[in-house]
Amino acid sequence: MPVVTMMPSGKKIEAAEGVSILHAILDSGESIPHKCEGKAECGSCHIFVTEGKKSLSKIQRVENEKLDTLVGIGSKSRLACQALLGGENITIEILSFM
Ligand code: FES
């Protein structure tokens, strides 16, 4: 099972492969902004993936279109609700706080 390390807290959670980063975090009892409940509409779940990005699902059109509307995106940007975990551990930086 892949491990997600969440920065800046440094907390680690285990999640099943194929689960979105958002659901992995919420299912573990941790929190992350998710105003549209995972529909790729709000952008509040914007994260940077600092390690393991290649193991995630590819960015689909709906995610790419939303990322294009956000301020402060970079090459490590993903929407936690759209990025599905692969088999490798990842490290993410949560950019906004509830
Ligand atoms: S929860 Fe709204 S874009 Fe991810």
Coordinates of all heavy atoms in Angstrom, one line a residue:
M1 N 0.8 -1.2 0.0 CA 0.0 0.0 0.0 C 0.9 1.2 0.0 O 1.8 1.3 0.8 CB -0.9 0.0 1.3 CG -1.9 -1.1 1.3 SD -2.9 -1.1 2.8 CE -4.1 0.2 2.5
P2 N 0.6 2.2 -0.9 CA 1.4 3.4 -0.9 C 1.2 4.3 0.4 O 0.1 4.3 1.0 CB 0.9 4.2 -2.1 CG -0.5 3.6 -2.4 CD -0.5 2.2 -1.9
V3 N 2.2 4.9 0.8 CA 2.2 5.8 1.9 C 2.2 7.3 1.4 O 3.0 7.6 0.5 CB 3.4 5.6 2.9 CG1 3.4 6.7 4.0 CG2 3.3 4.2 3.5
V4 N 1.3 8.1 1.9 CA 1.2 9.5 1.6 C 1.8 10.3 2.8 O 1.2 10.2 3.9 CB -0.2 10.0 1.3 CG1 -0.2 11.5 0.9 CG2 -0.8 9.1 0.1
T5 N 2.8 11.0 2.5 CA 3.4 11.9 3.6 C 2.9 13.3 3.3 O 3.0 13.8 2.2 CB 4.9 11.9 3.5 OG1 5.4 10.6 3.8 CG2 5.5 12.8 4.6
M6 N 2.2 13.9 4.3 CA 1.6 15.2 4.1 C 2.5 16.3 4.8 O 2.7 16.2 6.0 CB 0.2 15.2 4.7 CG -0.7 14.2 4.1 SD -2.4 14.2 4.8 CE -2.0 13.6 6.4
M7 N 2.9 17.2 4.0 CA 3.6 18.4 4.5 C 2.7 19.6 4.5 O 1.9 19.7 3.7 CB 4.9 18.6 3.6 CG 5.8 17.4 3.5 SD 6.4 16.7 5.1 CE 7.5 18.0 5.5
P8 N 2.9 20.5 5.4 CA 4.0 20.6 6.4 C 3.9 19.8 7.6 O 4.8 19.8 8.4 CB 4.0 22.1 6.7 CG 2.6 22.5 6.6 CD 2.0 21.6 5.5
S9 N 2.8 19.1 7.9 CA 2.7 18.4 9.2 C 3.6 17.2 9.3 O 4.0 16.8 10.4 CB 1.2 17.9 9.3 OG 0.9 16.8 8.5
G10 N 4.0 16.6 8.2 CA 4.8 15.4 8.2 C 4.0 14.1 8.5 O 4.6 13.0 8.6
K11 N 2.7 14.2 8.7 CA 1.9 13.0 8.9 C 1.9 12.0 7.8 O 1.9 12.5 6.6 CB 0.5 13.4 9.3 CG 0.3 14.1 10.6 CD -1.1 14.5 10.9 CE -1.2 15.2 12.2 NZ -2.5 15.7 12.4
K12 N 1.9 10.8 8.1 CA 1.9 9.7 7.0 C 0.6 8.9 7.1 O 0.2 8.6 8.2 CB 3.1 8.8 7.2 CG 4.5 9.5 7.0 CD 5.6 8.6 7.3 CE 7.0 9.2 7.2 NZ 7.4 9.7 5.9
I13 N 0.1 8.6 6.0 CA -1.1 7.8 5.9 C -0.9 6.7 4.9 O -0.2 6.9 3.9 CB -2.4 8.6 5.6 CG1 -2.3 9.2 4.3 CG2 -2.7 9.6 6.7 CD1 -3.6 9.9 3.8
E14 N -1.5 5.5 5.1 CA -1.5 4.5 4.1 C -2.8 4.4 3.4 O -3.9 4.7 4.0 CB -1.3 3.1 4.8 CG 0.1 2.7 5.0 CD 0.2 1.3 5.5 OE1 -0.8 0.7 5.8 OE2 1.4 0.8 5.5
A15 N -2.8 4.1 2.1 CA -4.0 4.1 1.3 C -3.9 3.1 0.3 O -2.8 2.7 -0.1 CB -4.3 5.5 0.7
A16 N -5.1 2.6 -0.2 CA -5.1 1.6 -1.3 C -4.7 2.3 -2.6 O -5.1 3.4 -2.9 CB -6.5 1.0 -1.4
E17 N -4.1 1.5 -3.5 CA -3.8 1.9 -4.8 C -5.1 2.2 -5.6 O -6.1 1.4 -5.4 CB -3.0 0.8 -5.5 CG -2.4 1.2 -6.8 CD -1.5 0.1 -7.4 OE1 -0.9 -0.6 -6.6 OE2 -1.3 0.1 -8.6
G18 N -5.2 3.2 -6.4 CA -6.4 3.5 -7.1 C -7.3 4.5 -6.5 O -8.3 5.0 -7.1
V19 N -7.0 4.8 -5.2 CA -7.8 5.8 -4.4 C -7.3 7.2 -4.7 O -6.1 7.4 -4.8 CB -7.8 5.4 -2.9 CG1 -8.4 6.5 -2.1 CG2 -8.5 4.1 -2.7
S20 N -8.2 8.2 -4.7 CA -7.7 9.5 -4.9 C -7.0 10.0 -3.6 O -7.3 9.5 -2.5 CB -8.9 10.5 -5.2 OG -9.7 10.7 -4.0
I21 N -6.1 10.9 -3.8 CA -5.4 11.5 -2.7 C -6.4 12.1 -1.7 O -6.2 11.9 -0.5 CB -4.3 12.5 -3.1 CG1 -3.2 11.8 -4.0 CG2 -3.7 13.2 -1.9 CD1 -2.3 12.8 -4.7
L22 N -7.4 12.8 -2.2 CA -8.4 13.4 -1.3 C -9.0 12.3 -0.5 O -9.1 12.5 0.8 CB -9.4 14.1 -2.2 CG -10.6 14.6 -1.4 CD1 -10.2 15.8 -0.5 CD2 -11.7 15.1 -2.3
H23 N -9.5 11.3 -1.1 CA -10.2 10.3 -0.3 C -9.3 9.5 0.7 O -9.7 9.1 1.8 CB -11.0 9.3 -1.2 CG -12.3 9.9 -1.7 ND1 -12.4 10.3 -3.0 CD2 -13.4 10.2 -1.0 CE1 -13.6 10.9 -3.1 NE2 -14.2 10.8 -1.9
A24 N -8.0 9.4 0.3 CA -7.1 8.7 1.2 C -6.9 9.6 2.4 O -6.9 9.1 3.5 CB -5.7 8.6 0.5
I25 N -6.8 10.9 2.2 CA -6.6 11.8 3.4 C -7.9 11.8 4.2 O -7.8 11.6 5.5 CB -6.3 13.2 2.9 CG1 -4.9 13.2 2.3 CG2 -6.4 14.2 4.0 CD1 -4.6 14.5 1.5
L26 N -9.0 12.0 3.6 CA -10.3 12.0 4.4 C -10.6 10.7 5.1 O -11.0 10.7 6.3 CB -11.5 12.4 3.5 CG -11.4 13.8 2.9 CD1 -12.6 14.1 2.0 CD2 -11.2 14.9 3.9
D27 N -10.3 9.6 4.4 CA -10.6 8.3 5.0 C -9.7 8.0 6.2 O -10.0 7.2 7.1 CB -10.4 7.2 4.0 CG -11.6 7.1 3.0 OD1 -12.6 7.9 3.2 OD2 -11.4 6.4 2.0
S28 N -8.6 8.7 6.3 CA -7.6 8.5 7.4 C -8.0 9.3 8.6 O -7.4 9.2 9.6 CB -6.2 8.8 6.9 OG -6.0 10.2 6.9
G29 N -9.0 10.2 8.4 CA -9.4 11.1 9.5 C -8.7 12.5 9.5 O -8.9 13.3 10.3
E30 N -7.8 12.6 8.5 CA -7.1 13.9 8.3 C -8.0 14.9 7.5 O -9.0 14.4 7.0 CB -5.7 13.7 7.7 CG -4.7 12.9 8.5 CD -4.4 13.5 9.8 OE1 -4.3 14.8 9.9 OE2 -4.1 12.8 10.8
S31 N -7.6 16.1 7.4 CA -8.4 17.1 6.6 C -7.6 17.8 5.5 O -6.4 17.9 5.6 CB -9.0 18.1 7.5 OG -8.0 18.8 8.2
I32 N -8.3 18.2 4.5 CA -7.8 18.9 3.4 C -9.0 19.7 2.8 O -10.1 19.1 2.8 CB -7.1 18.0 2.4 CG1 -6.5 18.9 1.2 CG2 -8.0 17.0 1.9 CD1 -5.7 18.1 0.2
P33 N -8.8 20.9 2.4 CA -10.0 21.6 1.7 C -10.5 20.8 0.6 O -9.7 20.2 -0.2 CB -9.4 22.9 1.3 CG -8.2 23.1 2.2 CD -7.6 21.8 2.4
H34 N -11.8 20.8 0.4 CA -12.5 20.1 -0.7 C -13.9 20.6 -0.9 O -14.9 19.9 -0.8 CB -12.5 18.6 -0.5 CG -13.1 18.1 0.8 ND1 -12.6 18.3 2.0 CD2 -14.3 17.5 1.0 CE1 -13.4 17.8 3.0 NE2 -14.5 17.3 2.4
K35 N -14.0 21.9 -1.2 CA -15.3 22.5 -1.2 C -16.3 21.9 -2.2 O -17.5 22.0 -1.9 CB -15.1 24.0 -1.5 CG -14.3 24.8 -0.4 CD -14.1 26.2 -0.8 CE -13.3 26.9 0.3 NZ -12.8 28.2 -0.1
C36 N -15.8 21.4 -3.3 CA -16.8 20.9 -4.3 C -16.9 19.4 -4.2 O -17.6 18.7 -5.0 CB -16.4 21.2 -5.7 SG -14.9 20.3 -6.3
E37 N -16.4 18.8 -3.1 CA -16.5 17.4 -2.8 C -15.9 16.5 -3.9 O -16.4 15.4 -4.2 CB -18.0 17.0 -2.6 CG -18.7 17.8 -1.5 CD -18.2 17.5 -0.1 OE1 -17.6 16.4 0.1 OE2 -18.3 18.3 0.8
G38 N -14.9 17.0 -4.5 CA -14.1 16.1 -5.5 C -14.6 16.2 -6.9 O -14.3 15.3 -7.7
K39 N -15.3 17.2 -7.3 CA -15.8 17.3 -8.7 C -14.9 18.1 -9.6 O -15.2 18.5 -10.7 CB -17.2 18.0 -8.6 CG -18.2 17.1 -7.9 CD -19.5 17.9 -7.8 CE -20.4 17.1 -6.9 NZ -21.5 17.9 -6.4
A40 N -13.7 18.5 -9.1 CA -12.7 19.3 -9.9 C -13.3 20.7 -10.3 O -12.9 21.2 -11.3 CB -12.3 18.5 -11.2
E41 N -14.1 21.2 -9.5 CA -14.7 22.5 -9.8 C -14.2 23.7 -8.9 O -14.3 24.8 -9.3 CB -16.3 22.4 -9.5 CG -16.9 21.5 -10.5 CD -18.4 21.2 -10.2 OE1 -18.9 21.7 -9.1 OE2 -19.1 20.6 -11.0
C42 N -13.7 23.4 -7.7 CA -13.3 24.5 -6.8 C -11.8 24.8 -6.8 O -11.5 25.9 -6.5 CB -13.8 24.2 -5.4 SG -13.0 22.8 -4.6
G43 N -11.0 23.8 -6.9 CA -9.6 24.0 -6.9 C -9.0 24.1 -5.4 O -7.8 24.3 -5.2
S44 N -9.9 23.9 -4.4 CA -9.4 24.1 -3.1 C -8.5 22.9 -2.6 O -7.8 23.1 -1.6 CB -10.6 24.2 -2.1 OG -11.4 23.0 -2.1
C45 N -8.5 21.8 -3.3 CA -7.7 20.7 -3.0 C -6.3 20.7 -3.7 O -5.6 19.7 -3.7 CB -8.4 19.4 -3.2 SG -8.7 19.1 -5.0
H46 N -6.0 21.9 -4.3 CA -4.7 22.0 -5.0 C -3.5 21.7 -4.0 O -3.4 22.2 -2.9 CB -4.6 23.5 -5.5 CG -3.3 23.8 -6.2 ND1 -2.7 25.0 -6.2 CD2 -2.4 23.0 -6.9 CE1 -1.6 25.0 -6.9 NE2 -1.4 23.8 -7.3
I47 N -2.7 20.8 -4.5 CA -1.5 20.4 -3.7 C -0.3 20.4 -4.7 O -0.4 20.4 -5.9 CB -1.6 18.9 -3.2 CG1 -1.9 17.9 -4.3 CG2 -2.7 18.9 -2.1 CD1 -1.9 16.5 -3.9
F48 N 0.9 20.4 -4.0 CA 2.1 20.1 -4.8 C 2.5 18.7 -4.4 O 2.5 18.3 -3.3 CB 3.3 21.0 -4.4 CG 3.1 22.4 -5.0 CD1 3.8 23.5 -4.3 CD2 2.4 22.7 -6.1 CE1 3.7 24.7 -4.9 CE2 2.3 23.9 -6.6 CZ 3.0 25.0 -6.0
V49 N 2.9 17.9 -5.4 CA 3.4 16.5 -5.2 C 4.9 16.6 -5.3 O 5.4 16.8 -6.4 CB 2.8 15.5 -6.2 CG1 3.4 14.1 -5.9 CG2 1.3 15.5 -6.1
T50 N 5.6 16.5 -4.2 CA 7.0 16.8 -4.2 C 7.9 15.5 -4.4 O 9.0 15.6 -4.7 CB 7.5 17.5 -2.9 OG1 7.1 16.7 -1.8 CG2 6.8 18.9 -2.8
E51 N 7.3 14.4 -4.1 CA 7.9 13.1 -4.4 C 6.9 12.1 -4.9 O 5.8 12.0 -4.4 CB 8.6 12.5 -3.1 CG 9.7 13.3 -2.6 CD 10.3 12.8 -1.3 OE1 10.3 11.5 -1.2 OE2 10.8 13.6 -0.5
G52 N 7.3 11.3 -5.9 CA 6.4 10.2 -6.3 C 5.4 10.6 -7.4 O 4.5 9.8 -7.6
K53 N 5.5 11.8 -8.0 CA 4.5 12.2 -8.9 C 4.2 11.3 -10.0 O 3.1 11.1 -10.5 CB 4.9 13.6 -9.4 CG 3.9 14.3 -10.3 CD 4.4 15.6 -10.8 CE 3.4 16.2 -11.8 NZ 3.9 17.4 -12.4
K54 N 5.3 10.6 -10.5 CA 5.1 9.8 -11.7 C 4.3 8.5 -11.4 O 3.8 7.9 -12.3 CB 6.5 9.3 -12.2 CG 7.2 10.5 -12.9 CD 8.6 10.0 -13.4 CE 9.3 11.2 -14.1 NZ 10.6 10.9 -14.6
S55 N 4.1 8.2 -10.1 CA 3.3 7.0 -9.8 C 1.8 7.3 -9.8 O 1.0 6.4 -9.7 CB 3.7 6.4 -8.5 OG 3.3 7.2 -7.4
L56 N 1.4 8.6 -9.9 CA 0.0 9.0 -9.8 C -0.6 8.8 -11.2 O 0.1 8.8 -12.2 CB -0.1 10.4 -9.4 CG 0.4 10.8 -8.0 CD1 0.3 12.3 -7.8 CD2 -0.4 10.0 -6.9
S57 N -2.0 8.8 -11.2 CA -2.7 8.8 -12.5 C -2.4 10.0 -13.3 O -2.0 11.1 -12.7 CB -4.2 8.7 -12.2 OG -4.6 9.8 -11.5
K58 N -2.5 9.9 -14.6 CA -2.2 11.0 -15.5 C -3.3 12.1 -15.3 O -4.4 11.8 -15.0 CB -2.2 10.6 -16.9 CG -1.0 9.7 -17.2 CD -0.9 9.4 -18.7 CE 0.4 8.6 -18.9 NZ 0.6 8.1 -20.3
I59 N -2.9 13.4 -15.6 CA -3.8 14.5 -15.5 C -4.8 14.4 -16.6 O -4.4 14.4 -17.8 CB -3.0 15.8 -15.5 CG1 -2.1 15.9 -14.3 CG2 -4.0 17.0 -15.5 CD1 -1.3 17.2 -14.2
Q60 N -6.0 14.4 -16.3 CA -7.1 14.4 -17.3 C -7.5 15.8 -17.6 O -7.2 16.7 -16.9 CB -8.3 13.5 -16.8 CG -7.9 12.1 -16.5 CD -7.5 11.3 -17.7 OE1 -8.1 11.3 -18.7 NE2 -6.3 10.6 -17.5
R61 N -8.3 15.9 -18.7 CA -8.7 17.3 -19.2 C -9.4 18.1 -18.1 O -9.1 19.3 -17.9 CB -9.6 17.1 -20.4 CG -10.0 18.4 -21.0 CD -10.7 18.2 -22.4 NE -11.9 17.5 -22.2 CZ -13.1 18.0 -22.0 NH1 -13.3 19.3 -22.1 NH2 -14.2 17.3 -21.9
V62 N -10.3 17.5 -17.4 CA -11.0 18.3 -16.4 C -10.1 18.9 -15.3 O -10.3 20.0 -14.9 CB -12.2 17.5 -15.8 CG1 -11.7 16.3 -15.0 CG2 -13.1 18.4 -14.9
E63 N -9.1 18.1 -14.9 CA -8.2 18.6 -13.9 C -7.3 19.6 -14.5 O -7.0 20.7 -13.9 CB -7.3 17.4 -13.4 CG -6.3 17.8 -12.3 CD -5.5 16.7 -11.8 OE1 -5.6 15.5 -12.3 OE2 -4.7 17.0 -10.9
N64 N -6.8 19.4 -15.7 CA -5.9 20.4 -16.4 C -6.6 21.7 -16.6 O -6.0 22.8 -16.3 CB -5.5 19.8 -17.7 CG -4.2 20.4 -18.2 OD1 -3.3 20.7 -17.4 ND2 -4.1 20.6 -19.5
E65 N -7.9 21.7 -16.9 CA -8.6 22.9 -17.1 C -8.8 23.7 -15.8 O -8.7 24.9 -15.8 CB -10.0 22.6 -17.7 CG -9.9 22.2 -19.2 CD -11.3 21.8 -19.8 OE1 -12.3 21.8 -19.0 OE2 -11.3 21.5 -21.0
K66 N -9.0 23.0 -14.7 CA -9.2 23.6 -13.4 C -7.8 24.2 -13.0 O -7.7 25.3 -12.5 CB -9.8 22.7 -12.4 CG -9.8 23.2 -11.0 CD -10.4 24.6 -10.9 CE -11.9 24.8 -11.2 NZ -12.3 26.2 -11.1
L67 N -6.8 23.4 -13.1 CA -5.4 23.9 -12.7 C -5.1 25.2 -13.5 O -4.5 26.1 -12.9 CB -4.4 22.8 -13.0 CG -4.4 21.6 -12.0 CD1 -3.4 20.5 -12.5 CD2 -4.0 22.1 -10.6
D68 N -5.5 25.3 -14.7 CA -5.2 26.5 -15.5 C -5.8 27.7 -14.9 O -5.4 28.8 -15.2 CB -5.6 26.3 -17.0 CG -4.6 25.5 -17.8 OD1 -3.5 25.2 -17.3 OD2 -5.0 25.0 -18.9
T69 N -6.8 27.6 -14.1 CA -7.5 28.7 -13.6 C -7.0 29.2 -12.2 O -7.4 30.2 -11.7 CB -9.0 28.5 -13.4 OG1 -9.2 27.5 -12.4 CG2 -9.7 28.0 -14.7
L70 N -6.1 28.4 -11.6 CA -5.6 28.6 -10.3 C -4.4 29.5 -10.3 O -3.6 29.4 -11.2 CB -5.3 27.3 -9.6 CG -6.5 26.3 -9.4 CD1 -6.0 25.1 -8.7 CD2 -7.7 27.0 -8.7
V71 N -4.2 30.2 -9.2 CA -3.0 31.1 -9.0 C -2.0 30.2 -8.3 O -2.3 29.4 -7.4 CB -3.4 32.3 -8.1 CG1 -2.1 33.0 -7.7 CG2 -4.4 33.2 -8.8
G72 N -0.7 30.3 -8.7 CA 0.3 29.6 -8.0 C 0.6 28.2 -8.4 O 1.2 27.5 -7.7
I73 N 0.1 27.8 -9.6 CA 0.3 26.4 -10.0 C 1.8 26.3 -10.5 O 2.4 27.3 -10.9 CB -0.7 25.9 -11.0 CG1 -0.5 26.7 -12.4 CG2 -2.1 26.0 -10.5 CD1 -1.1 25.9 -13.5
G74 N 2.3 25.1 -10.4 CA 3.6 24.8 -10.9 C 3.6 23.4 -11.5 O 2.6 22.7 -11.5
S75 N 4.8 22.9 -11.8 CA 5.0 21.6 -12.4 C 4.6 20.5 -11.5 O 4.3 19.4 -11.9 CB 6.4 21.4 -13.0 OG 7.3 21.5 -11.9
K76 N 4.5 20.8 -10.2 CA 4.2 19.7 -9.2 C 2.7 19.8 -8.8 O 2.3 19.1 -7.9 CB 5.1 19.9 -8.0 CG 6.6 19.7 -8.3 CD 7.5 19.9 -7.1 CE 8.9 19.7 -7.5 NZ 9.8 20.0 -6.4
S77 N 2.0 20.7 -9.4 CA 0.6 20.9 -9.0 C -0.3 19.7 -9.4 O -0.2 19.1 -10.5 CB 0.0 22.1 -9.7 OG 0.6 23.3 -9.1
R78 N -1.2 19.3 -8.5 CA -2.3 18.3 -8.8 C -3.5 18.8 -8.0 O -3.4 19.5 -7.0 CB -1.9 16.9 -8.4 CG -0.8 16.3 -9.2 CD -1.1 16.1 -10.7 NE -2.3 15.3 -11.0 CZ -2.4 14.1 -11.4 NH1 -1.3 13.4 -11.5 NH2 -3.5 13.5 -11.7
L79 N -4.6 18.3 -8.4 CA -5.8 18.3 -7.6 C -5.9 17.0 -6.8 O -6.0 15.9 -7.4 CB -7.1 18.6 -8.4 CG -7.2 19.9 -9.2 CD1 -8.5 19.9 -10.0 CD2 -7.1 21.1 -8.2
A80 N -6.0 17.1 -5.5 CA -6.0 15.9 -4.7 C -7.2 15.0 -5.0 O -7.2 13.8 -4.8 CB -6.0 16.2 -3.2
C81 N -8.3 15.6 -5.5 CA -9.5 14.9 -5.7 C -9.4 14.1 -7.1 O -10.2 13.2 -7.3 CB -10.7 15.8 -5.7 SG -10.8 17.0 -7.1
Q82 N -8.5 14.5 -7.9 CA -8.4 13.9 -9.2 C -7.2 12.9 -9.4 O -7.2 12.0 -10.3 CB -8.3 14.9 -10.3 CG -9.5 15.9 -10.3 CD -10.8 15.1 -10.6 OE1 -11.0 14.4 -11.6 NE2 -11.8 15.3 -9.7
A83 N -6.2 13.1 -8.6 CA -5.0 12.3 -8.7 C -5.2 11.0 -7.9 O -5.4 11.0 -6.7 CB -3.8 13.1 -8.1
L84 N -5.0 9.9 -8.6 CA -5.2 8.6 -8.0 C -3.9 8.0 -7.7 O -2.9 8.1 -8.5 CB -6.0 7.6 -9.0 CG -7.3 8.2 -9.6 CD1 -7.9 7.1 -10.5 CD2 -8.3 8.5 -8.4
L85 N -3.8 7.4 -6.5 CA -2.5 6.8 -6.1 C -2.1 5.6 -6.9 O -3.0 4.8 -7.3 CB -2.7 6.4 -4.6 CG -2.8 7.5 -3.6 CD1 -3.3 7.0 -2.3 CD2 -1.5 8.2 -3.5
G86 N -0.8 5.5 -7.2 CA -0.3 4.3 -7.8 C 0.3 3.5 -6.7 O -0.1 3.6 -5.5
G87 N 1.3 2.7 -7.0 CA 1.8 1.7 -6.1 C 2.9 2.3 -5.2 O 3.4 1.6 -4.3
E88 N 3.4 3.5 -5.5 CA 4.6 4.0 -4.8 C 4.2 5.1 -3.8 O 3.1 5.7 -3.9 CB 5.5 4.6 -5.8 CG 6.1 3.6 -6.8 CD 7.0 4.2 -7.8 OE1 7.6 5.3 -7.5 OE2 7.2 3.6 -8.9
N89 N 5.1 5.3 -2.8 CA 4.9 6.3 -1.8 C 5.0 7.7 -2.4 O 5.8 7.9 -3.4 CB 5.9 6.2 -0.7 CG 5.8 4.8 0.0 OD1 4.8 4.2 -0.1 ND2 6.8 4.5 0.7
I90 N 4.2 8.6 -1.9 CA 4.3 10.0 -2.4 C 4.4 11.0 -1.2 O 4.1 10.6 -0.1 CB 3.1 10.4 -3.3 CG1 1.8 10.4 -2.4 CG2 3.0 9.5 -4.5 CD1 0.7 11.1 -3.2
T91 N 4.9 12.2 -1.5 CA 4.9 13.2 -0.5 C 4.2 14.4 -1.2 O 4.5 14.8 -2.3 CB 6.4 13.7 -0.2 OG1 7.1 12.5 0.4 CG2 6.4 14.8 0.9
I92 N 3.3 15.0 -0.4 CA 2.5 16.1 -0.9 C 2.7 17.3 0.0 O 3.0 17.2 1.2 CB 1.0 15.8 -1.1 CG1 0.4 15.5 0.3 CG2 0.9 14.6 -2.0 CD1 -1.1 15.4 0.2
E93 N 2.5 18.5 -0.6 CA 2.5 19.7 0.2 C 1.1 20.3 0.1 O 0.6 20.6 -1.0 CB 3.5 20.7 -0.3 CG 3.5 22.0 0.6 CD 4.6 22.9 0.1 OE1 5.5 22.5 -0.7 OE2 4.6 24.1 0.5
I94 N 0.4 20.4 1.2 CA -1.0 20.9 1.2 C -0.9 22.5 1.2 O -0.2 23.0 2.1 CB -1.8 20.4 2.4 CG1 -1.9 18.9 2.2 CG2 -3.2 21.1 2.4 CD1 -2.6 18.2 3.4
L95 N -1.4 23.1 0.2 CA -1.2 24.5 0.0 C -2.1 25.5 0.7 O -1.8 26.6 1.0 CB -1.2 24.8 -1.5 CG -0.2 24.0 -2.3 CD1 -0.4 24.2 -3.8 CD2 1.2 24.4 -1.9
S96 N -3.3 25.0 1.0 CA -4.3 25.9 1.7 C -4.8 25.2 2.9 O -4.7 23.9 3.0 CB -5.4 26.3 0.7 OG -6.0 25.1 0.2
F97 N -5.3 25.9 3.8 CA -5.8 25.3 5.0 C -7.2 25.7 5.3 O -7.7 26.7 4.9 CB -4.9 25.8 6.2 CG -3.5 25.4 6.0 CD1 -2.6 26.2 5.3 CD2 -3.0 24.1 6.3 CE1 -1.3 25.9 5.1 CE2 -1.8 23.8 6.1 CZ -0.9 24.6 5.5
M98 N -8.0 24.7 5.8 CA -9.4 24.9 6.1 C -9.6 26.0 7.1 O -8.8 26.2 8.0 CB -10.0 23.6 6.5 CG -9.9 22.5 5.5 SD -10.6 21.0 6.0 CE -12.3 21.2 5.4
Ligands
FES1 S1 -12.3 19.2 -4.2 FE1 -12.9 20.7 -5.5 S2 -11.4 20.6 -7.1 FE2 -10.9 19.0 -5.7

